[in-house]
Amino acid sequence: EMKKKSIKFLVVLACVFMLCLSGCGSDKKEEPQKTTKCTMEQKSGDITFTTTQDITYAGDVVKSQKQTVSATLDKDDKDMQKKVEATIKENKEKYKDMKGISYEAGIDKNNLYTEVITFDFSKVSATDYGKVTNQKLEGDKLEIDYNQSISNLKKQKFTCN
C-alpha cells in the first residue's frame, strides 16, 4: 500500500525531474562552464527522498545534468527493499545502451538508497532523452535551455543556488 506508492512515487519523480529539463538553446561562441545545484526533499510515508540536480551549463545551454536521488530505507521492510532492487535492475537495463546517459544505483550496508543519472548533452540523442522523459523527441542533436530548466525545477519546489 504505502510502500508500493513510495516506489511508484520514486520512479514517477525521476521521470518528472528529467521531463522538466526540456527546452531549446541557441548557438553562441563557447563560454566558460558553470554549475547550478538544485535540491528538493519529499516525504513518502516515513521515507524522505532527497533529490539533487547538478546543472552544468555554458551561456544559456545546459551541457550536462547529474540527478542524484537518495533515501534511507527501513531495513525491516524487505518488501520495499525487493521493489527498490527490482527498479534498479530494470533501470540499469533501460539505460545501458543509451549513449551519453550513465546510471548507477544501489543500497549500501546502512540502507541508504542512492541513484545517480548523468546526462552528457553533447552525446545523448534527442530520441533517447525522449524515451527517458516520456516525450516525443527525435533526432541526434539536443539543446537544453538553462533558464527554462531552472525555471521548471523551481516550479517543482526545488531550491537552486
Side-chain angles (χ1 to χ4, degrees):
E1 319 70 68
M2 201 60 186
K3 309 296 185 245
K4 280 183 191 154
K5 279 187 185 156
S6 294
I7 277 301
K8 271 195 181 133
F9 174 74
L10 183 68
V11 173
V12 168
L13 202 64
C15 291
V16 167
F17 292 146
M18 291 184 269
L19 181 66
C20 76
L21 287 169
S22 296
C24 298
S26 59
D27 285 331
K28 290 202 176 92
K29 68 179 191 295
E30 210 49 45
E31 297 187 43
Q33 293 196 3
K34 299 177 188 149
T35 301
T36 297
K37 185 190 272 304
C38 300
T39 312
M40 178 177 66
E41 281 193 357
Q42 277 189 299
K43 273 185 105 50
S44 180
D46 21 338
I47 299 172
T48 300
F49 292 96
T50 302
T51 303
T52 304
Q53 301 277 0
D54 292 302
I55 312 285
T56 300
Y57 64 100
D60 57 2
V61 178
V62 175
K63 297 297 183 182
S64 68
Q65 175 206 354
K66 179 179 169 187
Q67 170 182 294
T68 307
V69 178
S70 62
T72 300
L73 305 175
D74 177 355
K75 66 170 142 292
D76 300 324
D77 188 348
K78 298 298 173 208
D79 197 38
M80 176 69 147
Q81 295 252 359
K82 280 195 182 90
K83 284 191 184 87
V84 170
E85 283 162 8
T87 302
I88 290 171
K89 194 175 173 188
E90 199 177 291
N91 284 342
K92 278 186 176 164
E93 193 58 35
K94 178 178 170 179
Y95 295 122
K96 76 170 197 237
D97 295 324
M98 293 185 179
K99 214 171 83 179
I101 300 174
S102 75
Y103 177 85
E104 293 166 47
I107 303 169
D108 72 11
K109 63 184 191 307
N110 299 317
N111 260 45
L112 180 68
Y113 160 76
T114 307
E115 174 185 79
V116 180
I117 304 172
T118 307
F119 295 91
D120 175 344
F121 291 113
S122 69
K123 295 186 180 112
V124 71
S125 76
T127 307
D128 281 348
Y129 188 72
K131 281 182 201 162
V132 172
T133 58
N134 298 315
Q135 298 178 84
K136 277 236 172 282
L137 297 174
E138 285 172 15
D140 299 327
K141 194 111 176 73
L142 185 64
E143 277 206 353
I144 306 291
D145 181 80
Y146 170 76
N147 294 311
Q148 186 64 54
S149 297
I150 297 302
S151 165
N152 289 343
L153 285 169
K154 286 180 175 174
K155 281 181 195 151
Q156 292 175 47
K157 308 286 187 265
F158 274 86
T159 305
C160 301
N161 65 1

